[in-house]
Amino acid sequence: MVHVTINGRPLCFERPFSILEALRSLDINVPSLCHDPRVKPYGACRLCVIQVKGAPRPLTACTTLLADGMEIETHPLEIERLRRTMLTLLARNYPEQHVAQWPEKEFHRLLNNYRLTCGNGRDRLPAASDDSHPYIHIDMSRCIDCYRCVRICDEVQGQCVWRLWNRGNSTQIRPDSGATLRESSCVSCGACVDACPTGALEDKSLLSLGSPTRWTRTTCSYCGTGCELYAGTRNDRIVSIKPALDAPVSRGHLCVKGRYAFEFVYARDRVLRPMIRTKGNWKEVTWDEAIQFTAHHFQRMIDRYGPDAIGVLGSARATNEENYLAQKFARVVLGTNNIDCCARVCHAPSAAALKSMLGTGAATNSFADIEKAQAILLCGANATENHPIIGARIKQAALGGAKLVVIDPRQIELAQYASCHLQLRPGTNVPLLNAMASTIIEEGLCDTEFLDRRASGWGQFCKSIAAWTAERAAQICGVNARLIRMAARLYATQKPAICFHGLGTTEHVQGTEGVMCLVNLALLTGNLGKPGTGVNPLRGQNNVQGAAHMGCDPRYLTGSVPIAEANDVWRNLWDVPVPSNPGLNLIEMMQAADRGTLRGLWAIGYDVYLTNPNSQFTANALRKMDCVVVQDMFLNETAREFGTVFLPAACSFEKDGTFMNSERRVQRVRKVIEPPGQAKADWQIICDVAKAMGHESQFCYSSPEEIWNEIRSVWKAGAGISYPRLEKQGLQWPCPSEDHAGTEILHASGPQIALRTVEYQPSCEAPSNQFPFTLVTGRTLYQFNAGTMTMRTENATLLPGDFLHIAPEDARKLNLADQERVRMRSHYAQATLPIRIDPSIEAGSLFATFHTAEVFLNALTTPNADLYTNTPEYKITAVQVEKL
Ligand code: SF4
C-alpha cells in the first residue's frame, strides 16, 4: 500500500505505479504530449511536471513512481507557468493553420486550452509530405518531435520503421527507407498514426470522409486473435477504426486488416437483394420469394431423399448465435447431423488432439501468458503474418529475453528473433517433436514431480520414444541433430515454456498426431496448467473456435457435447429429439454429393469451391447437387458457378452478437451501421427459412441476446457469460455461473493425462522426378483467406494477388526473374502466377497464397487428409514449375 497526498487529498494506492497513471485514474488532468500508455515513459515533453514536497525541482509525473508519504501538487502557479513555457517553445514554429483545421488533435487542444498562438512555421526545416501509402498521409510540418511514432513502432509493433535522420537542429523523423513510407518496412498497422498527437501522421480516410461523430466498440472480423476496436462513423458510414486501449488481447494495437481493411463494406459489387438463378441467370427477387424457394427445395429434398440428403455449413465469419442457429436448423428443421464449418479445413486436428488427450478441445492458456513465458515454442505458425498482434507480442517477448524456438519450413520473420530455428521438411513435425521428447528424457530434463502427479503411461512412452533419436529425426526432417537437441533443452529448461501452433502443424496427414506430440512435450516438462505454459492453437478466423463450439460439427452439439449424449434437456429445448444418424463433415459432404446421395447444400458465409482442396473434385460434387444455397456478402465463386439461391448477408459491422477467439474468450460484436440494401443478419435469414418450413415456435427470437441465453441454457461452461457481463469485458470459458470470473488457464488440476506415442507416417504426396517441388500454401499479412473482404480494400494495392515464392537457387536453375509468370502443375491441375524470389524458402520448397480466384490455387492441392479429422493436407503438394 502506498499512502500519498495529492492536491491536499490523502489517498491510498494498492500498487506503486507512476504518478501520471495515478493522476489519470483520479481524472486529474495533467497535460502530456510524449506519453502514451502503450510505450515506456519518456519524460521528454516535460508537460506532466508536478511538484513533490521536498524535491529540489519539479518532477515529470510519467517517469516518477508514487512513493509512500509523497505530497504532490499538480497545478501550482509556477508549474503551470513551466508548462506554458514548454508549450510556447513547441508552438513557436508550428503552423497556425493546422490548429484551426484540426482542433481536436491532442497538441492543438492544449494550445487552445493555454490560449497560445503559433508561429508561422517559416523557420522549420523543409518537411516531408508523403502520400505514397494507401492508408496513411504524412505531413511532417506538423511534427513536434515527441517521438511517439518512433517509440510505438519499436516497442509495440517491433518494426522500427521510424528513424531519426541527421543530428542536432537538423534531426528529422523519417521511415527506414529514407524515402517514402511505401518503400519502407512498414506493415501498415497504423500504431504511429494512432499515437501521433498532431496529425503529422493521419489516416487518409479521415481526411477524405471527415472525423467520426460516433464510436462503437466491437471485435475485429478477421483472425482468431480477437482484437477489440472502435469503429468511428459519420452519417452512418464507417470512416475510421481505432484500437481499444483497454482490450485484454490487443492492448491498444491492431494490424492492417483490423485497422484499415473495412472498405469492403461499401464495395460496389456487394449483393444487396436476394437472387434466384433461373436458366443460368441470376434474377433479383423479394425476400419472401427467396425464402419460400429455399424452404420449398429443402422440403422437397427431404420428402424425396430423406433429411440426410442436405448439408449445412456454418461460418467462422458469423457470430456464435448464428452458428448455434445453423446447427439447430440442420438438426431440428432438416433432421440431420450434416453440419460442419471451416474448422474442418484448419484446426479440427487441434480440437481432436486436445480433446482426446486433455478433455477440452481448445487452447489451454491465454495470450496473457506470452509475457509470462521464459521460452516460446512456435510450431507451424507464421504469427507476424497471420496473427499479427500475437506475432508482435511474441517478437517483443523475444526481444525482452524469452527464448524463442521456431519450427517452420520457411525462414519466417520470427525466425530472425529465435534462439533456434528448425527449418524442417514439410510434413515432418512428428519425427521432430518425437526427437525433442526423446532428448528431454535422455538428458534427464523431465519434470518428474509433474509426471508422477499428472501423467500416465510414462514407462511405456519412454520405451517407445527412445528410438526417436535426434540423429534419426535429423535424417527425415532435414534439420541438424544438434539444433533438435538445443530446441529440446530450451523448451525443457527455460520455464515456464508456452507453445503456439498453427496450420503448419494441423494441415497434414498427421495433423492431429502432431498436436498430440506437442501435448506430450508439455506433459514431459510440466508445462501445463500453469501461467506461461500450455498448448495453444492460433485459430485462423475470427470465430472458427466459436462456430465449431456452437455445434457446427457433425459429431458434437453445442458445448462439444457428443451427439450420443444428447439428453432430454435438448429434446425439451428444441421440441424434437436430436437426430441420431452420424452426420457428414464438409469433406464427406462433397464425397456424398459426388456419389449423388447429398443433393442440397446451404453454405453460410463459406466459399467452399474456392477454399476446398482439389477444387475440381469439389466442382464436380457441387455440380451434381439439386440446390446450392449461398448466403454471403458477395457473389463468391461457389455462388457464381453453382449457386441456385443467393441470400445477401450483413457483415459483422452490421449486426449484434458474440465471437469466441482462440483463447476461449467470448466478446461482443456490436452493430455499428445498418446493413445496406436488403441485406439481413445471418440469424434473421436462418429464422426466416426455419419459419417457412413450419418451425415458427423453435425459431422465434427477437434479438441475438435471446439466442445467446438459449445457448447458455445448454452450454454449462458458458452459463455465466451473460450479455450484461460482456458489456464490461470479454470472458473466457469455462465460466459456469454469473459470479465466476472466467478461466484463463485450463488443466491446473484434474485427472491423470495419458502420454501418447505417435509413430511417423509420411505423406503419400512426395516430390518425384516429374513433380520435384513441394508446395506449401498459406495466408499473408495483407490478404485474408478467399480475399472476399481484403481484396475489396486498399490492401489489394499493398499485395495485389497471389505469388509463388521460390528459393533464389531454384529461380536461377529455372532461369526465372522476380515477378516473372510461371505455370505450376500438380497431379490434379495447373495454375499460372507470378513468382517472388524469396531467400526465406529452402531450395526444393515453394510457398504460395490462395487468395484469388484468378489463380485458384486449390485446384492444385491434394485430396490427402488428416487421419483423424479429414482436415486436408494443404501443406504438401508435389508440383513442377515451368517458365511461361
Ligand atoms: Fe484483427 Fe487479427 Fe489483426 Fe487483431 S491481429 S486486428 S484480430 S486481423
Side-chain angles (χ1 to χ4, degrees):
M1 283 290 190
V2 183
H3 296 87
V4 296
T5 306
I6 298 178
N7 296 338
R9 191 172 145 208
L11 291 156
C12 177
F13 292 91
E14 275 187 13
R15 60 185 177 92
F17 48 8
S18 78
I19 295 176
L20 190 64
E21 280 179 278
L23 297 178
R24 298 238 156 127
S25 74
L26 296 167
D27 274 342
I28 296 175
N29 187 12
V30 163
S32 154
L33 277 174
C34 69
H35 181 72
D36 187 300
R38 294 164 290 187
V39 294
K40 290 187 205 112
Y42 197 51
C45 75
R46 303 197 64 78
L47 288 177
C48 69
V49 283
I50 37 96
Q51 205 165 60
V52 176
K53 192 173 174 189
R57 68 185 83 83
L59 302 175
T60 45
C62 64
T63 55
T64 311
L65 288 182
L66 279 178
D68 211 28
M70 266 184 175
E71 291 180 33
I72 298 162
E73 289 293 329
T74 59
H75 288 80
L77 208 55
E78 57 276 34
I79 290 286
E80 279 293 89
R81 262 195 218 119
L82 253 178
R83 287 181 187 140
R84 202 179 164 75
T85 307
M86 301 309 298
L87 274 171
T88 308
L89 288 172
L90 284 173
R92 200 176 45 186
N93 267 328
Y94 194 78
E96 179 71 42
Q97 76 266 21
H98 296 328
V99 184
Q101 199 179 354
W102 298 97
E104 72 279 12
K105 291 287 168 195
E106 230 171 308
F107 178 51
H108 304 167
R109 259 200 330 258
L110 277 177
L111 293 179
N112 286 332
N113 289 350
Y114 282 82
R115 297 177 193 283
L116 292 171
T117 47
C118 294
N120 51 23
R122 255 187 244 136
D123 295 341
R124 293 172 76 86
L125 289 170
S129 167
D130 174 6
D131 246 339
S132 62
H133 194 281
Y135 291 123
I136 300 170
H137 172 75
I138 301 171
D139 174 5
M140 281 303 185
S141 72
R142 293 161 78 167
C143 177
I144 55 168
D145 294 330
C146 68
Y147 304 134
R148 275 163 76 166
C149 56
V150 179
R151 290 182 293 133
I152 204 159
C153 191
D154 292 4
E155 295 175 31
V156 175
Q157 179 55 39
Q159 203 63 19
C160 309
V161 172
W162 293 104
R163 304 261 171 93
L164 300 186
W165 293 77
N166 307 326
R167 289 281 178 276
N169 286 343
S170 309
T171 305
Q172 283 187 325
I173 297 171
R174 276 194 260 147
D176 56 6
S177 61
T180 65
L181 188 61
R182 187 64 190 273
E183 294 162 281
S184 74
S185 64
C186 173
V187 290
S188 313
C189 69
C192 54
V193 179
D194 201 51
C196 177
T198 65
L201 306 174
E202 188 61 281
D203 287 343
K204 283 186 171 174
S205 65
L206 285 183
L207 298 175
S208 60
L209 300 167
S211 298
T213 50
R214 186 166 58 95
W215 291 97
T216 308
R217 188 174 177 128
T218 187
T219 305
C220 177
S221 59
Y222 284 104
C223 85
T225 303
C227 299
E228 285 182 274
L229 52 87
Y230 283 93
T233 47
R234 187 184 179 93
N235 301 327
D236 200 33
R237 195 216 194 272
I238 302 174
V239 296
S240 179
I241 282 179
K242 66 179 183 184
L245 289 183
D246 59 348
V249 177
S250 39
R251 302 173 173 180
H253 193 200
L254 293 171
C255 79
V256 57
K257 292 187 283 282
R259 177 80 160 83
Y260 289 119
F262 59 83
E263 279 295 323
F264 68 87
V265 174
Y266 304 104
R268 286 216 189 108
D269 60 342
R270 181 125 183 228
V271 183
L272 304 178
R273 286 179 183 75
M275 298 190 295
I276 295 174
R277 181 144 38 198
T278 39
K279 294 187 185 146
N281 297 319
W282 286 108
K283 183 172 162 258
E284 287 184 356
V285 294
T286 64
W287 264 114
D288 193 43
E289 285 170 301
I291 296 293
Q292 291 303 332
F293 183 93
T294 304
H296 170 75
H297 274 69
F298 282 163
Q299 193 56 58
R300 203 175 58 177
M301 280 185 271
I302 293 171
D303 296 342
R304 257 195 215 167
Y305 308 110
D308 291 331
I310 308 171
V312 179
L313 296 177
S315 177
R317 330 289 301 128
T319 62
N320 290 316
E321 292 78 356
E322 291 165 336
N323 280 292
Y324 171 79
L325 287 193
Q327 60 91 38
K328 182 175 173 181
F329 180 89
R331 290 174 168 131
V332 171
V333 180
L334 302 179
T336 180
N337 283 312
N338 291 347
I339 169 80
D340 209 0
C341 67
C342 77
R344 183 66 45 203
V345 296
C346 58
H347 270 291
S350 299
L354 293 168
K355 191 166 174 69
S356 78
M357 286 184 80
L358 304 176
T360 303
T364 64
N365 282 59
S366 303
F367 292 134
D369 288 293
I370 294 171
E371 288 78 15
K372 294 172 191 154
Q374 294 297 314
I376 301 170
L377 175 63
L378 191 66
C379 185
N382 188 359
T384 51
E385 298 253 353
N386 298 332
H387 301 82
I389 296 306
I390 301 309
R393 284 176 64 175
I394 292 174
K395 193 192 288 186
Q396 292 296 341
L399 288 169
K403 301 296 177 202
L404 177 60
V405 175
V406 170
I407 299 175
D408 203 291
R410 286 194 295 156
Q411 178 109 29
I412 57 170
E413 186 187 352
L414 283 173
Q416 296 166 31
Y417 301 84
S419 306
C420 179
H421 174 206
L422 307 173
Q423 196 164 8
L424 77 178
R425 290 191 186 110
T428 60
N429 291 321
V430 165
L432 187 133
L433 297 171
N434 275 349
M436 283 177 68
S438 177
T439 302
I440 288 166
I441 294 168
E442 185 193 323
E443 299 193 3
L445 303 176
C446 291
D447 184 335
T448 47
E449 185 277 324
F450 182 87
L451 282 166
D452 285 344
R453 200 162 40 82
R454 295 296 308 276
S456 64
W458 159 234
Q460 178 54 40
F461 184 79
C462 285
K463 274 189 217 145
S464 53
I465 208 79
W468 279 106
T469 61
E471 287 68 23
R472 180 182 168 202
Q475 295 289 321
I476 298 169
C477 306
V479 177
N480 190 312
R482 184 186 55 80
L483 279 181
I484 299 176
R485 290 185 192 282
M486 181 182 169
R489 285 178 203 133
L490 284 173
Y491 180 75
T493 59
Q494 304 293 311
K495 288 191 173 178
I498 194 167
C499 168
F500 290 102
H501 68 272
L503 303 185
T505 306
T506 59
E507 288 179 343
H508 286 291
V509 287
Q510 285 197 288
T512 301
E513 291 175 330
V515 181
M516 287 174 174
C517 292
L518 292 172
V519 178
N520 285 339
L521 287 178
L523 290 172
L524 290 175
T525 54
N527 279 308
L528 192 75
K530 303 167 193 167
T533 69
V535 179
N536 301 283
L538 290 173
R539 307 299 304 250
Q541 300 205 54
N542 52 338
N543 199 35
V544 66
Q545 175 79 48
H549 209 73
M550 289 299 106
C552 288
D553 187 306
R555 289 163 56 197
Y556 295 103
L557 294 164
T558 311
S560 212
V561 174
I563 295 294
E565 291 173 24
N567 54 22
D568 284 347
V569 174
W570 295 89
R571 192 197 165 94
N572 294 339
L573 182 70
W574 287 352
D575 272 349
V576 291
V578 172
S580 54
N581 280 359
L584 302 174
N585 65 39
L586 161 64
I587 305 299
E588 291 165 340
M589 283 184 208
M590 292 304 121
Q591 291 162 348
D594 188 54
R595 288 193 305 270
T597 52
L598 192 93
R599 314 292 300 206
L601 181 73
W602 188 355
I604 300 171
Y606 198 154
D607 193 350
V608 61
Y609 175 40
L610 185 65
T611 54
N612 258 18
N614 189 11
S615 12
Q616 197 48 51
F617 179 80
T618 307
N620 289 339
L622 289 168
R623 199 170 289 123
K624 289 180 183 172
M625 289 189 187
D626 297 340
C627 180
V628 176
V629 181
V630 177
Q631 188 164 308
D632 212 308
M633 288 183 286
F634 300 96
L635 206 59
N636 61 27
E637 295 311 306
T638 307
R640 206 184 298 279
E641 296 293 326
F642 310 103
T644 320
V645 190
F646 187 91
L647 307 175
C651 74
S652 69
F653 289 117
E654 297 157 357
K655 60 190 176 187
D656 283 301
T658 57
F659 288 154
M660 188 187 294
N661 78 347
S662 289
E663 47 161 19
R664 299 169 278 107
R665 188 184 298 275
V666 177
Q667 304 187 112
R668 273 301 312 274
V669 175
R670 294 184 182 85
K671 190 175 191 177
V672 175
I673 47 172
E674 289 299 322
Q678 294 179 15
K680 284 189 190 184
D682 291 303
W683 68 271
Q684 291 170 316
I685 303 172
I686 297 168
C687 288
D688 288 347
V689 179
K691 286 174 191 168
M693 293 181 74
H695 291 265
E696 177 83 37
S697 62
Q698 293 124 311
F699 284 82
C700 187
Y701 302 98
S702 59
S703 68
E705 184 176 4
E706 202 180 330
I707 305 166
W708 183 251
N709 286 338
E710 181 172 315
I711 295 168
R712 291 165 63 210
S713 74
V714 285
W715 176 35
K716 289 193 179 66
I721 305 176
S722 67
Y723 264 46
R725 291 187 78 191
L726 290 177
E727 274 311 307
K728 296 187 201 104
Q729 59 172 9
L731 288 162
Q732 287 169 280
W733 59 266
C735 179
S737 61
E738 295 220 17
D739 57 359
H740 193 286
T743 308
E744 290 180 7
I745 301 172
L746 299 178
H747 317 300
S749 60
Q752 290 214 314
I753 301 156
L755 288 148
R756 289 273 276 271
T757 307
V758 176
E759 281 310 321
Y760 173 49
Q761 186 165 330
S763 167
C764 55
E765 184 76 6
S768 61
N769 285 343
Q770 191 189 358
F771 298 105
F773 291 100
T774 302
L775 171 70
V776 175
T777 69
R779 292 200 317 229
T780 59
L781 174 65
Y782 292 107
Q783 299 301 339
F784 194 75
N785 289 1
T788 313
M789 289 148 67
T790 45
M791 276 292 176
R792 290 176 171 89
T793 70
E794 287 293 320
N795 281 32
T797 62
L798 291 165
L799 189 77
D802 289 317
F803 289 87
L804 180 68
H805 294 244
I806 185 167
E809 193 182 329
D810 289 329
R812 251 193 319 274
K813 277 188 203 156
L814 294 169
N815 193 23
L816 294 170
D818 203 38
Q819 310 278 338
E820 198 169 346
R821 290 187 76 79
V822 293
R823 177 176 292 113
M824 181 163 60
R825 275 199 189 89
S826 74
H827 287 281
Y828 308 94
Q830 62 177 13
T832 61
L833 71 173
I835 64 152
R836 278 205 170 153
I837 298 176
D838 183 346
S840 77
I841 306 273
E842 286 234 292
S845 283
L846 301 167
F847 173 80
T849 52
F850 50 77
H851 302 302
T852 66
E854 290 74 45
V855 172
F856 227 111
L857 197 81
N858 276 318
L860 278 73
T861 50
T862 79
N864 301 332
D866 174 50
L867 302 166
Y868 290 69
T869 62
N870 261 1
T871 295
E873 191 181 42
Y874 288 105
K875 300 296 182 190
I876 301 185
T877 306
V879 294
Q880 57 174 243
V881 175
E882 106 188 74
K883 193 177 165 92
L884 277 180

